[in-house]
Amino acid sequence: MHISNWLLFCSVSLLVTFSPGPAVLLAISNSIAVGPRRAMISSMGNGTGLFIISGIAMAGMGVVLATSATAFMLLKLAGALYLVYLGVKQWRSKTSIVANVPQQPGAANPNSNGKLYRQGMMVALTNPKAILFFSALFPQFIVQGQPVAMQFTVLTTTFVACAMAAHLFYALLARLLKSQLANPTRARLFNRISGGGFVLLGLSLLRLRAKAA
């Protein structure tokens, strides 16, 4: 993978992982309950789950790659359109990133690191959108004719590292600025910035597909 493509993937991964989702809400919830440091134990479990989900998605893409180049191009097109859809949905959302965080998250047991780890992994494994998302994102950066396993390792490790950074950011921020995060105006602005980023990304990938056709 060329360094420019990897840097672009890093930018995409940061945009994705910093956008609110179940894992971000879990990081915020556990930070409030057990502190930012121990909240990262659940984030490590989430990273393990992401590796598993990513492996499933990459296995499916490997079959498509071996079957038909045209089918792979269609998969890339569908992925770009899916990113546009996510962007529009995020743009229209009026929900604060802490709106659904419980004040006393019962799932977080301060006395059990193992439970925190399993909690994070299950959040990743039980998110039905994860496989669809990886199937939409990864084909945009897979180089045909190159070893898939190595590309899978680089892409997934990069994504998990970005996710961990995002979780740490929100865990620390939740301790300092919980009331500010719940502000409807700031929530709407955040949703529009992240949603707009998704739309621009999807449109840029569609443009690349059109030029390559």
Side-chain angles (χ1 to χ4, degrees), residues 162-185:
C162 291
M164 295 286 287
H167 297 168
L168 178 59
F169 170 80
Y170 279 114
L172 294 173
L173 196 63
R175 286 294 243 186
L176 298 174
L177 302 172
K178 181 183 176 183
S179 61
Q180 298 298 318
L181 291 174
N183 183 282
T185 301

Side-chain angles (χ1 to χ4, degrees), residues 68-89:
S68 169
T70 301
F72 187 65
M73 288 300 295
L74 290 176
L75 180 62
K76 297 176 86 169
L77 176 62
L81 291 173
Y82 180 63
L83 293 177
V84 173
Y85 162 76
L86 288 179
V88 173
K89 184 177 180 181

Side-chain angles (χ1 to χ4, degrees), residues 41-59:
I41 297 174
S42 65
S43 294
M44 292 172 62
N46 187 261
T48 302
L50 288 176
F51 264 102
I52 296 173
I53 293 296
S54 174
I56 295 172
M58 288 295 289

